[in-house]
Amino acid sequence: NVVPVCLLLALMLLAPALSAQQERGLIFNLEIGELCMRSVQCKSGCCHRVSGLSLARCAPKAAEFQECSPKHISEVYYKCPCESGLTCDADKTIVGSITNSNFGVCKDPRDFDKW
C-alpha cells in the first residue's frame, strides 16, 4: 500500500517538469538567445547570426524602421525579418540574395504612400 502512494507522489512531482519540457523543448520553441539552426525553431521566428563564422541564436523580429532581411530559404538571417504586419522594403533581386546585401527597413505597408 505504501508503494502506490509513493508512486502517486512521484508522478505528481514530475508532472509540472514534464509539461514545462514540452512547452519549451530542446529543438523547438527556443527562447531569445538560444542556439538555433533554422528560424522555425525559435519562438520569435528568427534565427540570427552576426557573421558567417558566428553561431546562430534566436533573436526578436525587426520592428518598424529597423533593418531587416526579406524571408530567405535558409531561414538563418544576418538581419531578422519584420514583425507581423510590416514589410521589408529591400532589394529582392537574386543578386542581393546571393551577395547577402538584400537588407532593407521594416515599414508599415499602409504608410507606403508617405514614403
Side-chain angles (χ1 to χ4, degrees), residues 26-113:
L26 294 173
I27 298 174
F28 292 100
N29 293 325
L30 300 177
E31 300 288 343
I32 303 294
E34 293 190 279
L35 294 173
C36 55
M37 292 173 58
R38 296 186 60 128
S39 291
V40 71
Q41 294 177 278
C42 304
K43 280 184 181 179
S44 67
C46 179
C47 186
H48 171 266
R49 71 175 55 215
V50 177
S51 70
L53 300 175
S54 66
L55 295 173
R57 295 184 179 274
C58 294
K61 285 195 171 179
E64 191 170 12
F65 306 117
Q66 289 185 331
E67 283 190 297
C68 58
S69 291
K71 294 280 186 184
H72 193 269
I73 194 165
S74 76
E75 289 191 27
V76 177
Y77 298 96
Y78 291 100
K79 305 285 182 190
C80 285
C82 299
E83 293 174 339
S84 181
L86 300 177
T87 303
C88 188
D89 186 23
D91 175 12
K92 294 182 178 142
T93 64
I94 190 72
V95 174
S97 184
I98 292 170
T99 61
N100 198 29
S101 62
N102 58 342
F103 305 132
V105 175
C106 291
K107 295 181 180 176
D108 187 332
R110 297 170 292 188
D111 293 341
F112 272 148
D113 296 337

Side-chain angles (χ1 to χ4, degrees), residues 8-23:
L8 182 60
L9 183 60
L11 288 174
M12 287 176 32
L13 292 172
L14 284 175
L18 292 174
S19 67
Q21 193 175 37
Q22 289 174 348
E23 288 173 14

